[in-house]
């Protein structure tokens, strides 16, 4: 089982680099800000084809269909510890990596010790990362909807869940806990918390404002706290996050885009540049330190860009999917022709010495 999960994680990694997954084929990544956010909202809403029940009922005639798949079922698969699958344990959000006898702070728990009664010490329950009471209107678990979205729900120790309550997230360091009137999720969990809040803000934009969940400034965006942009950039998605995203996708039909590629948050809200998992969205002016070529501008509405440098031999222009679009040997004018269609293009410059340099350009 462990080898299977590790192999799956390898496939996820390989499939996520150097290309944009087909799930995002409807998204125009030459857009940014609110335009891109709106497209993401449309995508993760229209593909959210199955809304989970919070808990199943025994009555097939339930008005909300809650005799079918529920959140418990999904979390018992989505939150499995990928490092110890043979132990059949779930990872507890906010848990610690140090060994402790205090069950509140433990990092793992048997998948079978889920809490379904009033006496739940030593058991795990479901944590709403975006706290229910902070949404407007409040998230409800009475019927399938925003309150039962598994992307926002994590396995957590029942006692620790009660102590976190609806405290706002705040920056800190080390293990999780209450800090300066807020709650720090811990070094291990801060990135995943940021990406969950971002997902909720995009999936339910009129209900789940990210500013309501954090003690933070808003330097880069009026709607996304600096805190989450910082955490998202500081900590790349773990294998656990990626596998979890796949499991929830298999049930709900939609994905958390910020786990698939943290740089999408940078395109929407700005701030520190996060990891571009696919290697095609991050656009910068690039100068090869050995050949000294400069390609500019990197974002243009024209059907050409300029190139500076000596000893140019050949220029090739590829689509982001790897299709060769242009071969140019007429290099005297310092202009690189681009295809007429908007999109992201990879420019490969080959020198007279046979050295190659690559650059990314957006044609909008």
């Amino acid at each position: 089982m462990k080898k299977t999960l590790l192999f799956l994680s390898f496939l996820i990694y390989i499939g996520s680099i150097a290309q944009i997954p087909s799930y995002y084929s409807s998204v125009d990544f030459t857009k940014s800000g609110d335009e891109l956010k709106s497209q993401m909202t449309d995508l993760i809403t229209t593909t959210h084809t199955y809304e989970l029940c919070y808990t199943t009922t025994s009555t097939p005639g339930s008005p909300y269909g809650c005799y079918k798949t529920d959140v418990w079922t999904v979390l018992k698969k989505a939150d499995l510890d990928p490092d110890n699958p043979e132990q059949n344990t779930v990872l507890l959000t906010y848990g610690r990596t140090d060994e402790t006898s205090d069950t509140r702070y433990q990092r793992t728990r048997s998948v079978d010790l889920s809490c379904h009664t009033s006496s739940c010490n030593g058991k795990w329950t479901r944590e709403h990362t975006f706290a229910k009471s902070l949404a407007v209107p409040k998230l409800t678990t009475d019927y399938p909807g925003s309150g039962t979205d598994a992307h926002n729900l994590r396995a957590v120790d029942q006692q620790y869940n009660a102590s976190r309550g609806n405290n706002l997230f705040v920056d800190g360091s080390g293990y999780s806990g209450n800090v300066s009137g807020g709650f720090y999720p811990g070094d291990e969990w801060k990135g995943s918390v940021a990406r969950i809040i971002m997902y909720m803000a995009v999936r339910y934009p009129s209900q789940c404002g990210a500013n309501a969940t954090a003690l933070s400034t808003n330097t880069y965006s009026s709607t996304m706290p600096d805190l989450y942009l910082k955490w998202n950039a500081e900590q790349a998605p773990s294998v656990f996050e990626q596998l979890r995203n796949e499991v929830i996708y298999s049930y709900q039909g939609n994905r958390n885009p910020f786990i698939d590629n943290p740089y999408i948050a940078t395109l929407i809200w700005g701030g520190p540049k996060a990891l571009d998992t696919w290697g095609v969205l991050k656009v910068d002016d690039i100068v090869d330190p050995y050949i000294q070529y400069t390609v500019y501008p990197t974002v243009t509405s024209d059907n050409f860009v300029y190139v500076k440098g000596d000893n140019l031999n050949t220029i090739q222009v590829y689509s982001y999917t790897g299709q060769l679009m242009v071969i140019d040997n007429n290099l005297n004018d310092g202009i690189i022709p681009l295809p007429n269609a908007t999109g992201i293009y990879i420019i490969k410059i080959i020198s007279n010495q046979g050295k190659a340099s690559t650059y990314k350009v957006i044609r909008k």
Side-chain angles (χ1 to χ4, degrees):
M1 177 66 174
K2 184 173 183 179
K3 290 182 178 179
T4 301
L5 284 171
L6 290 175
F7 180 66
L8 176 57
S9 67
F10 173 77
L11 291 180
I12 292 171
Y13 172 75
I14 292 298
S16 67
I17 59 175
Q19 62 180 340
I20 299 177
S22 59
Y23 179 81
Y24 298 95
S25 60
S26 64
V27 178
D28 181 0
F29 283 105
T30 66
K31 305 298 183 183
S32 60
D34 287 341
E35 286 186 280
L36 181 57
K37 179 185 174 184
S38 178
Q39 289 187 48
M40 282 295 167
T41 297
D42 290 343
L43 174 64
I44 64 178
T45 299
T46 57
T47 57
H48 192 170
T49 53
Y50 190 94
E51 293 187 320
L52 299 167
C53 300
Y54 199 56
T55 302
T56 53
T57 68
S58 59
T59 307
S62 166
Y64 302 113
C66 284
Y67 57 93
K68 298 182 179 180
T69 306
D70 66 5
V71 169
W72 288 116
T73 301
V74 177
L75 292 190
K76 287 180 179 182
K77 295 180 180 179
D79 284 15
L80 283 175
D81 182 359
D83 292 329
N84 297 290
E86 68 278 1
Q87 295 182 11
N88 208 28
T89 57
V90 291
L91 280 182
L92 302 178
T93 190
Y94 315 140
R96 301 179 177 182
T97 55
D98 63 333
E99 294 184 8
T100 174
S101 59
D102 191 330
T103 58
R104 291 176 299 170
Y105 307 124
Q106 289 176 350
R107 188 169 177 270
T108 62
R109 187 73 40 85
S110 169
V111 71
D112 298 322
L113 290 177
S114 53
C115 171
H116 303 275
T117 66
S118 58
S119 178
C120 291
N121 290 356
K123 296 185 178 182
W124 66 273
T125 188
R126 299 159 293 184
E127 153 77 333
H128 284 83
T129 306
F130 194 116
K132 292 187 290 184
S133 63
L134 300 180
V136 182
K138 296 178 181 179
L139 301 178
T140 179
T141 58
D142 293 339
Y143 48 83
S146 55
T148 69
D149 192 322
H151 284 295
N152 183 44
L153 290 159
R154 282 295 322 279
V156 67
D157 176 81
Q158 190 274 336
Q159 289 177 281
Y160 208 7
N161 185 41
S163 64
R164 185 253 155 159
N166 67 349
N167 290 332
L168 305 189
F169 290 114
V170 66
D171 208 3
S173 63
Y175 293 124
S176 62
N178 294 316
V179 179
S180 303
F183 182 83
Y184 178 60
D187 292 350
E188 181 179 3
W189 309 107
K190 63 182 182 181
S192 63
V193 163
R195 287 180 280 274
I196 289 172
I197 298 296
M198 289 171 177
Y199 165 85
M200 293 296 285
V202 173
R203 173 62 181 88
Y204 309 100
S206 63
Q207 184 180 18
C208 297
N211 285 336
T213 66
L215 294 171
S216 172
T217 55
N218 288 76
T219 305
Y220 310 103
S221 167
S222 61
T223 59
M224 183 56 60
D226 296 347
L227 184 66
Y228 297 137
L229 297 172
K230 174 177 176 284
W231 287 351
N232 179 55
E234 286 180 342
Q235 188 179 59
S238 64
V239 169
F240 169 72
E241 273 186 271
Q242 296 175 64
L243 292 172
R244 187 173 191 275
N245 201 22
E246 295 297 328
V247 172
I248 297 172
Y249 169 57
S250 72
Y251 280 95
Q252 293 190 174
N254 68 343
R255 305 182 64 84
N256 183 331
F258 308 105
I259 294 175
D260 286 335
N261 194 334
Y263 192 71
I264 293 174
T266 308
L267 291 176
I268 293 176
W269 296 292
K273 290 184 179 179
L275 172 70
D276 178 9
T277 310
W278 304 328
V280 295
L281 299 184
K282 191 173 183 179
V283 178
D284 298 294
D285 286 334
I286 302 174
V287 179
D288 188 293
Y290 301 103
I291 307 176
Q292 294 297 316
Y293 293 142
T294 304
V295 174
Y296 64 97
T298 53
V299 180
T300 181
S301 57
D302 296 320
N303 62 351
F304 64 89
V305 292
Y306 297 98
V307 58
K308 283 184 179 180
D310 298 323
N311 299 315
L312 284 77
N313 182 280
T314 304
I315 291 177
Q316 300 170 348
V317 180
Y318 295 84
S319 70
Y320 68 79
T321 59
Q323 180 183 0
L324 180 61
M325 308 292 289
V326 176
I327 298 179
D328 185 20
N329 295 305
N330 180 24
L331 308 174
N332 295 326
D333 54 6
I335 291 176
I336 302 174
L338 297 177
N340 289 326
T342 61
I344 300 171
Y345 295 98
I346 308 299
I347 296 174
K348 183 177 182 180
I349 301 177
I350 304 173
S351 71
N352 289 328
Q353 292 77 30
K355 294 183 178 180
S357 303
T358 57
Y359 307 82
K360 302 186 191 93
V361 170
I362 288 180
R363 167 90 158 84
K364 63 180 182 178

